[in-house]
Amino acid sequence: MNFCQACSVRNRAICADLEDDEIALLNKIGRRRNLEAGESLLWAGDEAVLVANVVSGVLKLSTQTSDGREQILGLAYPSDFLGRPFSDTTPYNAEALSDSVVCVFRRPDFERFALEHSKLEHKLLERTLSELDRTRRWILLLGRMNAEERLATLLLEIGARSVAATCRNSIRTDPDRFELPMSRQQIADILGLTIETVSRQFTKMREDGVIKVSERRNITICKRDVLENLAA
Amino acid sequence: MNFCQACSVRNRAICADLEDDEIALLNKIGRRRNLEAGESLLWAGDEAVLVANVVSGVLKLSTQTSDGREQILGLAYPSDFLGRPFSDTTPYNAEALSDSVVCVFRRPDFERFALEHSKLEHKLLERTLSELDRTRRWILLLGRMNAEERLATLLLEIGARSVAATCRNSIRTDPDRFELPMSRQQIADILGLTIETVSRQFTKMREDGVIKVSERRNITICKRDVLENLAA
DNA sequence: CGTAACCTTGACTTTTCTCAAGTTTGGTGG
DNA sequence: CCACCAAACTTGAGAAAAGTCAAGGTTACG
């Protein structure tokens, strides 16, 4: 059975651009895996045994300080790549925030394939460079923005990425209406804040009419310009 | 004239592993450039026209918020790669902190070479993945550490990188004795703090006997275990 | 309908920032 | 060689932002 040919992220993940015969080979070394919300795929510090592509769902990448303060390093949406090729140690935890599907490879299999198929390696390089850009923008957020600016930036980013992640799946979503894939505590762990500070900022934005919130996780952006101004 | 063969970072930069004939080709498309301390090589938002390797010196990568608050994204030491291949826009400013030498390539030349020589592309991928790991560790610092922990982490990192950057140049340095390549203000911009907070933390560490400071920039680590405990 | 998890709110504390002096350092010209 | 200057750094006092601790609401779900 060839999962790749029917794969919903086939044209966006690092396997895009591969020829049919290459895809067939890749299909042999990878396999699908379903993750329930809350289930982990990678553990920081473990030997890096596997790498993966996200097919559907959202995962969080995280580490913690030695005394247990958690920091989320990033989110992985469909077509994003997970894991650490060419290193022995996994640098972060990866945990599904929603029920998810990933396409996993044993790391040695994937590395061998990559070295033999430079087209794949090139795609992985492009993706890694983009991820580095995104991560550096997050450094600006954590280093120089206040709580309000941080939440504004996150809401805009989640809106944008929710659309990008689903647009090929025919469910055209609006970047101004989306469901948060994480709890308030997790938002705090992304933004480097406490849950109370996050909650107060949500309240403030609601009171200012900038956003609407229903059932806690359904967000409507009412005044995009205000958010963009804060995030800039 | 072949700079590459005599290059002090020849075995550590992305050009390591290349065959002699490949090096000769690379030598043709690159050129050396000297930068004085304070001189800029890349400007955020500009069209990405060139990429480079650091040969000697230290550079800072930075961005700022729209209202001008600066944040340093990282430091580039000898053998580190600078610039953004495969994208039209340079994502950060790069400015020399000390007098530096870089090996620059026009981006299209470099990209063409990379696509034709997958060994180089592989090295670049490994380096980008490491840089992503390092950047993510910085996210933990900015998101979850207090001022004291941040400075401790930075001092240990600079000590380690100063050694790594110079060990092939026969000047064997001690990771517990080094010269800071930046001002207090720049340290603040790296750590996401203000200059006053940084200064107070230096004073505290001096008073606690954890470090010695002479001529402002010469640091001796006296109690490495204390710093490591803070940084962990 | 009860419960547990999640979220919000309030009062208070702590950390860092801001603003305003001072002080040290390194360079320059008398 | 010294006095002076500007830039870089340090220090102090008070303000602001975010964190902590402790209740009190909501919501989802069995």
Side-chain angles (χ1 to χ4, degrees):
Chain A
M1 186 160 170
N2 190 326
F3 283 116
C4 294
Q5 270 155 16
C7 182
S8 55
V9 295
R10 168 81 173 81
N11 295 304
R12 290 176 293 144
I14 52 169
C15 22
D17 294 2
L18 294 181
E19 306 296 337
D20 285 347
D21 58 327
E22 292 174 314
I23 283 285
L25 275 167
L26 196 60
N27 191 66
K28 260 191 220 155
I29 62 170
R31 64 186 183 80
R32 288 292 177 100
R33 178 156 163 205
N34 294 302
L35 297 168
E36 281 176 39
E39 201 176 344
S40 285
L41 180 67
L42 304 172
W43 289 264
D46 270 23
E47 204 190 335
V49 290
L50 51 85
V51 299
N53 273 305
V54 181
V55 176
S56 68
V58 185
L59 292 88
K60 66 167 194 184
L61 317 183
S62 65
T63 39
Q64 51 266 337
T65 55
S66 49
D67 59 336
R69 287 167 284 175
E70 177 160 5
Q71 176 66 46
I72 294 181
L73 303 172
L75 301 175
Y77 279 82
S79 86
D80 285 353
F81 182 82
L82 287 173
R84 180 57 164 93
F86 312 115
S87 163
D88 291 332
T89 317
T90 300
Y92 50 73
N93 309 303
E95 179 188 320
L97 290 175
S98 56
D99 291 348
S100 305
V101 179
V102 292
C103 170
V104 300
F105 303 89
R106 294 192 318 113
R107 184 169 68 88
D109 293 347
F110 180 84
E111 288 181 3
R112 199 171 322 112
F113 188 95
L115 290 171
E116 285 164 10
H117 302 266
S118 63
K119 234 182 279 177
L120 181 93
E121 196 156 69
H122 179 76
K123 275 283 169 194
L124 182 57
L125 174 58
E126 287 196 343
R127 195 162 272 280
T128 307
L129 286 164
S130 305
E131 188 57 32
L132 185 54
D133 288 347
R134 188 203 306 283
T135 304
R136 283 176 167 150
R137 269 181 265 126
W138 221 247
I139 282 194
L140 181 64
L141 176 139
L142 293 172
R144 288 294 178 230
M145 288 185 180
N146 64 26
E148 190 179 26
E149 294 166 332
R150 292 184 197 193
L151 183 57
T153 306
L154 182 68
L155 291 176
L156 291 173
E157 161 122 357
I158 291 178
R161 294 196 75 185
S162 304
V163 172
T166 50
C167 64
R168 307 289 182 107
N169 286 344
S170 79
I171 320 156
R172 239 256 164 267
T173 54
D174 180 343
D176 288 347
R177 280 182 76 85
F178 52 86
E179 190 185 326
L180 292 173
M182 73 290 274
S183 69
R184 295 289 187 272
Q185 180 58 60
Q186 286 164 338
I187 291 177
D189 292 337
I190 291 174
L191 298 180
L193 299 168
T194 58
I195 184 173
E196 293 94 335
T197 299
V198 169
S199 183
R200 284 186 247 270
Q201 292 304 325
F202 265 107
T203 302
K204 183 163 178 297
M205 285 191 184
R206 243 191 311 108
E207 286 173 348
D208 294 351
V210 175
I211 57 170
K212 271 192 206 138
V213 181
S214 65
E215 292 147 59
R216 288 166 171 174
R217 292 193 176 197
N218 289 316
I219 306 293
T220 308
I221 296 178
C222 307
K223 300 183 183 168
R224 167 167 284 268
D225 55 325
V226 174
L227 287 188
E228 283 172 347
N229 232 36
L230 285 167
Chain B
M1 183 160 174
N2 191 327
F3 283 115
C4 293
Q5 269 155 16
C7 181
S8 56
V9 296
R10 168 79 172 81
N11 295 304
R12 291 176 293 144
I14 53 168
C15 21
D17 294 2
L18 293 182
E19 305 297 337
D20 286 346
D21 58 327
E22 292 175 313
I23 283 285
L25 276 168
L26 196 60
N27 191 66
K28 259 191 222 156
I29 62 170
R31 64 187 183 79
R32 287 292 176 102
R33 178 157 164 205
N34 295 301
L35 296 169
E36 281 175 37
E39 200 177 343
S40 283
L41 180 68
L42 303 173
W43 289 264
D46 270 23
E47 205 189 334
V49 290
L50 52 85
V51 299
N53 274 306
V54 182
V55 177
S56 68
V58 186
L59 291 88
K60 66 167 193 183
L61 317 183
S62 66
T63 40
Q64 51 263 343
T65 55
S66 49
D67 60 336
R69 286 166 286 175
E70 177 159 5
Q71 175 66 45
I72 294 182
L73 303 172
L75 301 175
Y77 280 83
S79 86
D80 284 353
F81 182 83
L82 287 173
R84 180 57 166 92
F86 312 116
S87 164
D88 292 332
T89 317
T90 299
Y92 50 72
N93 310 303
E95 179 189 320
L97 290 176
S98 56
D99 291 347
S100 305
V101 179
V102 291
C103 170
V104 299
F105 304 90
R106 295 193 317 113
R107 184 169 68 87
D109 293 346
F110 180 84
E111 287 181 3
R112 201 173 320 111
F113 188 94
L115 290 171
E116 284 164 11
H117 301 266
S118 62
K119 235 181 279 178
L120 180 93
E121 196 157 70
H122 179 75
K123 275 283 169 197
L124 182 57
L125 174 58
E126 288 195 341
R127 195 162 270 282
T128 307
L129 286 165
S130 303
E131 188 56 33
L132 185 54
D133 288 348
R134 187 203 307 282
T135 305
R136 283 177 167 148
R137 267 180 266 125
W138 221 247
I139 282 194
L140 181 63
L141 176 140
L142 293 172
R144 288 293 179 232
M145 288 186 181
N146 64 28
E148 189 179 27
E149 294 166 333
R150 292 185 198 194
L151 183 57
T153 307
L154 182 68
L155 292 177
L156 291 174
E157 163 120 358
I158 291 178
R161 295 196 75 185
S162 304
V163 172
T166 49
C167 64
R168 306 291 181 107
N169 285 345
S170 78
I171 322 155
R172 239 259 163 263
T173 53
D174 180 342
D176 288 346
R177 279 181 77 86
F178 52 87
E179 189 184 327
L180 292 173
M182 72 290 274
S183 69
R184 295 288 187 273
Q185 180 58 60
Q186 287 165 337
I187 291 176
D189 292 336
I190 291 175
L191 298 179
L193 299 168
T194 57
I195 184 172
E196 295 93 336
T197 300
V198 170
S199 182
R200 283 186 248 270
Q201 292 305 325
F202 265 107
T203 302
K204 183 164 178 296
M205 284 190 184
R206 242 190 313 108
E207 285 175 352
D208 293 353
V210 175
I211 58 171
K212 271 192 206 138
V213 182
S214 65
E215 293 146 60
R216 285 163 172 177
R217 292 193 175 197
N218 290 316
I219 305 293
T220 308
I221 296 178
C222 307
K223 299 183 183 169
R224 167 166 284 268
D225 55 325
V226 174
L227 287 187
E228 283 172 347
N229 232 36
L230 284 167

